[in-house]
């Protein structure tokens, strides 16, 4: 699992894994350890263990990156396995980052089209690690030159525990001068750690960052470390 990778993968769909036991060091996942162009639809892990002694450990995908045209998609899926690792640990995805400052798809016009799409995901398995630990994903991020991130309809029902940057949905989100929008997210699990601990997101990072959440999720922002708040007419927007 440490060196294996998947490229140009079209789709994994309608697949159920039971009695899973996947173990490695870095880049560990029950479906994909490390890959590009990953599309997973209507899949589930009914029980088991996914663990790594190092970084980038996810129930479905350990690590995914940017490939210019496409990115990472996981939709309409569920996880019941216990997930553990060191840093960048998530119920579905350990770590993913898309885009670059030169433009992954078209360097001349500085524009890429890859996206991170996570939709209708439910986690029921305990997720544990040290830093960047989330019920859905440990850390996801985007640069300017890509198609962006689409994040909606999440539910976490299990405990998420670590030391820093731990969230019921995402441990950390990163965006370069763009908004991070999370829609219809619910956390019912216990979230434990020391710094940057949140019911939805542990830490939101970027230059002049903003995290956009619907009103119904505002009550779960109490654990955010809010820095330099800026009054706005739209009270659904938080400057952090």
């Amino acid at each position: 699992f440490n060196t294996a990778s998947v490229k140009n993968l079209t789709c994994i769909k309608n697949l159920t894994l039971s009695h899973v036991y996947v173990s490695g060091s870095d880049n560990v996942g029950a479906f994909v350890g490390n890959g590009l162009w990953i599309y997973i639809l209507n899949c589930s892990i009914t029980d088991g263990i996914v663990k790594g002694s190092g970084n980038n450990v996810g129930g479905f995908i350990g690590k995914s990156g940017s490939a210019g045209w496409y990115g990472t998609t996981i939709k309409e899926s569920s996880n019941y396995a216990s997930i553990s690792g060191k840093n960048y640990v998530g119920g579905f995805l350990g770590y993913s980052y898309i885009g670059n400052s030169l433009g992954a798809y078209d360097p001349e016009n500085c524009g890429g089209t890859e996206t991170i799409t996570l939709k209708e995901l439910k986690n029921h398995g305990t997720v544990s690690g040290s830093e960047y630990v989330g019920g859905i994903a440990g850390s996801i991020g985007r640069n300017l030159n890509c198609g962006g991130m689409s994040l909606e309809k999440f539910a976490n029902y299990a405990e998420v525990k670590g030391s820093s940057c731990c969230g019921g949905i995402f441990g950390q989100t990163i965006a370069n001068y763009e908004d991070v929008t999370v829609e219809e997210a619910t956390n019912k699990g216990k979230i434990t750690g020391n710094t940057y601990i949140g019911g939805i997101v542990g830490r939101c990072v970027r230059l002049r960052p903003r995290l956009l959440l619907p009103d119904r999720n505002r009550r779960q922002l109490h654990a955010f470390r809010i820095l330099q708040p800026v009054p706005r007419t739209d009270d659904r927007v938080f400057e952090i």
Side-chain angles (χ1 to χ4, degrees):
F1 299 102
N2 199 21
T3 59
S5 63
V6 175
K7 295 182 179 180
N8 305 337
L9 177 64
T10 301
C11 183
I12 300 174
K13 64 179 181 179
N14 305 326
L15 180 63
T16 298
L17 301 181
S18 300
H19 311 302
V20 168
Y21 184 85
V22 180
S23 177
S25 54
D26 297 319
N27 306 328
V28 181
F31 288 93
V32 179
N34 183 12
L36 306 173
W37 304 2
I38 305 169
Y39 190 100
I40 298 177
L41 173 66
N42 190 32
C43 292
S44 65
I45 302 176
T46 61
D47 61 310
I49 295 172
V50 178
K51 65 179 182 179
S53 59
N55 301 328
N56 308 325
V57 181
F60 281 38
I61 303 169
K63 179 182 179 181
S64 65
S66 176
W69 295 275
Y70 308 105
T72 300
T73 296
I74 310 175
K75 297 170 63 176
E76 301 171 22
S77 298
S78 61
N79 171 59
Y80 286 82
S82 296
I83 316 299
S84 64
K86 187 177 180 181
N87 301 324
Y88 306 105
V89 184
F92 290 86
L93 174 63
Y95 176 87
S96 184
Y97 190 84
I98 58 172
N100 60 62
S101 59
L102 297 178
Y105 173 62
D106 186 350
E108 182 176 353
N109 296 316
C110 292
T113 60
E114 65 270 32
T115 63
I116 295 176
T117 300
L118 304 175
K119 184 177 180 180
E120 295 184 43
L121 304 179
K122 297 180 180 180
N123 178 59
H124 298 265
T126 299
V127 183
S128 61
S130 180
E131 297 183 348
Y132 314 110
V133 184
I136 301 299
S139 180
I140 57 172
R142 58 153 295 176
N143 211 320
L144 284 172
N145 305 302
C146 64
M149 298 191 290
S150 178
L151 313 171
E152 60 179 299
K153 296 183 179 179
F154 306 114
N156 175 61
Y157 300 97
E159 182 178 7
V160 176
K161 54 186 176 181
S163 63
S164 177
C165 301
C166 304
I169 304 301
F170 303 116
Q172 175 178 254
T173 61
I174 305 172
N176 192 347
Y177 284 101
E178 298 292 338
D179 295 328
V180 176
T181 303
V182 180
E183 299 186 23
E184 298 185 44
T186 298
N187 173 54
K188 295 187 177 181
K190 180 180 180 182
I191 315 300
T192 59
N194 297 318
T195 59
Y196 298 107
I197 311 301
I200 300 298
V201 183
R203 190 184 189 197
C204 180
V205 179
R206 72 169 182 143
L207 299 176
R208 297 184 62 191
R210 283 195 303 175
L211 174 73
L212 306 183
L213 291 172
D215 289 332
R216 56 185 169 278
N217 290 328
R218 289 190 58 189
R219 62 184 180 278
Q220 300 205 49
L221 279 175
H222 65 279
F224 259 104
R225 184 177 180 184
I226 306 297
L227 304 178
Q228 299 178 342
V230 178
R232 301 178 63 90
T233 56
D234 183 353
D235 65 0
R236 295 175 297 172
V237 178
F238 290 78
E239 297 280 343
I240 65 175

